[in-house]
Amino acid sequence: MCTAISFTTDKHFFGRNLDLNYNYPQTGIFVPRNYKITFKKEDEISNHFALLGVGIVVSSYPMFFDCINEYGLTFAGLNFPTFAKFNKEIMGKINLAPYELPLYLLSKYKTIEEVKKALENISILDEPFSKDLNVATLHFIMSDKNKSIVIESREDGLKVFDNPFNVLTNNPVFEYHAFNMNNYLNLTNEEPKSRFSKDLDLKPYGKGFGQIGLPGDSSPQSRFVKATYLLHNVTLKEKDDIYNISQGFHILNNVSTLIGECNSDLGTFEYTIYSDIYNTTDFKLYVRLYENNCLQEIDGNKFKMNGKDLISIEFKKEENIIALN
């Protein structure tokens, strides 16, 4: 379970909820321009764009859950079980494991249009990082300030979809989510007018009647609809970064999951481990943990951009309570 969103005012913002039934030791990760990035089947890249994101570091290797590059191109992987199908090595293709895909694309490209062209020759490799880490069954959302795409490697090949909703959740396939949105075309943030019958004087007796039918459960299709409705209806402002970041977190909070809400097959609970919003224009990251509602900022510009060393920053997990008296 996960939800990702992208929106643009005078600046571009991108964010996601990471929902799992277990907790990785995730950290903030900065990859400077001269950090050597290696791949299983492709040549290493030693000079590239700087990257900033959230993930885990295994044997000095950055494994991003979501990230951006210094030019504002974004990436997030979301769970896509049963539908995700990856390949053995295909000769003549660029073969990348799922955890390598963001490193390759964000290290080389600045825009979605460049990425779409590159994906024509990319195959996602069915190989884990190590025997201790399974291949993650994911699909992916990427965005720049102008548009979003969804990337799905399925039984019938690699699919790339333009994503006018600027939202992604989980199963089923993206075509389903896109078609399912037609079921909610009557939703509105305006006061609705009665179309039930001309013979009956029916009126709303409270606020929010135009949203009756908006899903509120935690299923992927419902989170997709609700996040899309909120993203396309909430008020955003030009030249007010803090307000827009706050609005992004409010959207994600409306599709987040609490401990105890969704039991997994293992007897553990799916919950929103963290939410984040990137100000991609300014190369900044804001994170909110389940255990700590205080926003934690990482400013990518404060690192040595031309460095060679990977930087990992731990998040503060204890709740930050401000005493007022």
Side-chain angles (χ1 to χ4, degrees):
M1 294 172 61
C2 294
T3 305
I5 61 174
S6 174
F7 58 97
T8 301
T9 57
D10 58 317
K11 296 181 180 179
H12 177 224
F13 302 89
F14 178 82
R16 64 95 53 85
N17 288 339
L18 181 77
D19 304 339
L20 292 171
N21 63 323
Y22 52 89
N23 202 334
Y24 282 112
Q26 66 273 349
T27 64
I29 302 172
F30 175 73
V31 179
R33 293 171 183 157
N34 295 310
Y35 177 82
K36 187 181 296 184
I37 301 174
T38 60
F39 303 95
K40 284 186 175 291
K41 304 296 182 181
E42 304 302 323
D43 294 337
E44 67 181 36
I45 302 175
S46 56
N47 183 261
H48 50 78
F49 304 145
L51 312 179
L52 175 67
V54 179
I56 58 174
V57 177
V58 182
S59 300
S60 299
Y61 197 92
M63 303 182 72
F64 284 113
F65 304 150
D66 47 85
C67 54
I68 63 172
N69 70 15
E70 60 183 289
Y71 289 96
L73 186 64
T74 74
F75 182 100
L78 291 81
N79 199 24
F80 192 49
T82 70
F83 291 99
K85 302 294 181 184
F86 303 136
N87 306 308
K88 300 301 180 183
E89 184 177 4
I90 300 176
M91 299 303 295
K93 290 279 190 178
I94 298 170
N95 295 275
L96 300 168
Y99 65 88
E100 295 176 335
L101 191 63
L103 295 169
Y104 184 87
L105 294 175
L106 268 64
S107 69
K108 295 169 66 72
Y109 303 112
K110 300 179 182 180
T111 68
I112 289 298
E113 290 305 320
E114 292 175 342
V115 167
K116 288 174 69 174
K117 186 172 181 61
L119 287 168
E120 294 174 2
N121 197 41
I122 286 177
S123 176
I124 302 182
L125 194 63
D126 187 19
E127 286 198 24
F129 179 81
S130 69
K131 63 180 181 180
D132 300 320
L133 292 171
N134 295 328
V135 176
T137 53
L138 303 173
H139 60 174
F140 313 97
I141 181 172
M142 296 189 67
S143 303
D144 60 20
K145 65 181 180 180
N146 296 314
K147 67 187 307 182
S148 295
I149 59 171
V150 170
I151 305 165
E152 295 182 346
S153 182
R154 302 187 333 215
E155 192 73 54
D156 55 345
L158 187 69
K159 309 292 185 180
V160 181
F161 303 96
D162 288 330
N163 180 7
F165 310 103
N166 294 318
V167 168
L168 186 63
T169 57
N170 310 106
N171 290 355
V173 297
F174 182 72
E175 298 100 313
Y176 171 88
H177 289 297
F179 186 78
N180 184 52
M181 287 300 301
N182 292 296
N183 292 318
Y184 301 92
L185 56 84
N186 275 322
L187 295 180
T188 176
N189 61 2
E190 305 289 342
E191 291 289 337
K193 296 180 180 179
S194 175
R195 290 180 287 185
F196 190 90
S197 171
K198 294 180 180 179
D199 300 326
L200 299 172
D201 185 23
L202 303 178
K203 297 178 182 179
Y205 51 85
K207 297 298 181 182
F209 270 65
Q211 298 162 42
I212 291 178
L214 180 66
D217 61 85
S218 298
S219 63
Q221 64 269 32
S222 292
R223 284 183 284 111
F224 192 101
V225 173
K226 188 168 188 180
T228 300
Y229 174 83
L230 294 173
L231 184 64
H232 290 265
N233 284 282
V234 299
T235 301
L236 300 170
K237 297 180 180 180
E238 300 291 316
K239 303 184 186 306
D240 195 335
D241 298 349
I242 299 302
Y243 173 87
N244 293 326
I245 289 164
S246 177
Q247 285 289 72
F249 276 108
H250 283 304
I251 294 170
L252 293 175
N253 188 57
N254 270 270
V255 288
S256 67
T257 307
L258 305 177
I259 294 175
E261 184 177 342
C262 295
N263 203 344
S264 75
D265 294 337
L266 300 175
T268 54
F269 293 107
E270 294 263 357
Y271 70 101
T272 301
I273 293 172
Y274 73 82
S275 305
D276 62 24
I277 294 289
Y278 294 86
N279 176 341
T280 77
T281 305
D282 293 343
F283 202 42
K284 294 181 179 180
L285 164 64
Y286 299 85
V287 177
R288 185 185 65 200
L289 305 183
Y290 191 90
E291 305 89 347
N292 182 4
N293 283 282
C294 176
L295 298 190
Q296 302 179 55
E297 179 193 78
I298 300 177
D299 186 345
N301 303 287
K302 293 183 178 180
F303 297 116
K304 187 178 180 181
M305 300 289 280
N306 290 317
K308 295 182 178 180
D309 298 324
L310 185 73
I311 296 175
S312 178
I313 298 179
E314 291 188 9
F315 299 119
K316 296 179 179 179
K317 291 190 174 182
E318 60 279 0
E319 190 69 80
N320 184 25
I321 298 175
I322 300 174
L324 299 180
N325 62 359

